[in-house]
Amino acid sequence: MSDLLRPDSTTDLAGSAAALLGMMRETPPLTHCITNAVVAGFTANVLLAVGAAPAMVDIVGEAGSFAGVASGVLINLGTPTPEQRSASIEAVTGAAESGTPWVLDPVAIGALPVRTALAHELAARRPTAIRGNASEILALAGHSAGGRGVDATDSTDAAADAALALAHEYGSVVAVSGPIDFVTDGERVLRLANGHELLTRVTGGGCALGAVMAAFLGAARATAHDALTAVAAANLVYTIAAERAAAVAAGPGSFAVGLLDALAAVGPEDVIAEARVEGGAR
């Protein structure tokens, strides 16, 4: 593996993340989400809190044209109804035509046939980024049958080879969520150590992260920051906010509310001070 980010590049990545966060708050990226019905409201609130402008457009006949004017697009397969499946294909087509970056979140694929087939069809259209837990990434790469619904049954390191393979096959940045998040573009590797276990105790904790990645990719379009940097920046901002929310939470309920407050409060200087990044060979 070549051109690996070194551990001493933490400062550069944190600085880029801070810059993108500042830019996003100055010009909120319009973030088009076709997402899980269970988490749509929470996802929209997360985007508002971090500084983006959410739009939950999942109607056939509108999704494609809207993806063309959006800054970034999220396709989340949490509740893939027939309407959402068609809208997802339409949105991805519109994004490709307009150059809009888009994120695929292959929720709970593996044993569930409808969403698994759709995930493979969408991945073949070369998402800008793919985000999932270890079991979902392994299933998308054909290395396992997936996890237990939305829960991962595999470790992040176990999905490293699958993530690298997907990045090479589709030209995507692949982000594997876990205790230590693994992010790669197929050549460079990052391990991001911020975050908190309470994210797994709130419905939408991972799904909302995919939307934040779409927002950061949208914010990065007018800059020199590449997709790997934008995805890692989104992850850092989100997980730093999670740590701050967990520090004052009494449990999952107050954590969910606190996460929104923390996302709104975290600033570029906090990202620079608190980011924990490792780079290098696996």
Side-chain angles (χ1 to χ4, degrees), residues 40-66:
F42 183 72
T43 298
N45 285 334
V46 163
L47 286 171
L48 286 169
V50 80
M56 322 310 267
V57 181
D58 60 359
I59 297 173
V60 175
E62 295 181 352
S65 58
F66 200 89

Side-chain angles (χ1 to χ4, degrees), residues 162-183:
L164 287 160
L166 289 171
H168 281 295
E169 182 172 2
Y170 299 124
S172 307
V173 173
V174 182
V176 189
S177 295
I180 302 292
D181 298 321
F182 182 93
V183 184

Side-chain angles (χ1 to χ4, degrees), residues 6 12 22 41 57 83 90-91 95 110 121 124 130 136 179 209 212 223 226 248 260 264:
R6 303 181 305 278
D12 291 341
V57 181
E83 176 91 359
E90 187 181 295
E121 180 180 356
I130 300 170
E136 291 160 349
L209 175 56
V212 175
T223 75
D226 64 8
V248 296
L260 297 177

Side-chain angles (χ1 to χ4, degrees), residues 117-179:
L118 179 59
H120 286 292
E121 180 180 356
L122 291 169
R125 293 173 180 247
R126 303 178 71 83
T128 312
I130 300 170
R131 190 221 75 86
N133 64 39
S135 296
E136 291 160 349
I137 296 303
L138 284 162
L140 187 62
H143 293 187
S144 82
R148 186 185 61 188
V150 298
D151 297 328
T153 55
D154 300 280
S155 70
T156 304
D157 280 346
D161 287 339
L164 287 160
L166 289 171
H168 281 295
E169 182 172 2
Y170 299 124
S172 307
V173 173
V174 182
V176 189
S177 295

Side-chain angles (χ1 to χ4, degrees), residues 85-116:
R85 296 199 297 272
S86 297
S88 295
I89 298 295
E90 187 181 295
V92 167
T93 301
E97 291 173 350
S98 62
T100 306
W102 65 283
V103 177
L104 173 62
D105 192 337
V107 177
I109 68 163
L112 299 172
V114 172
R115 73 186 65 215
T116 301

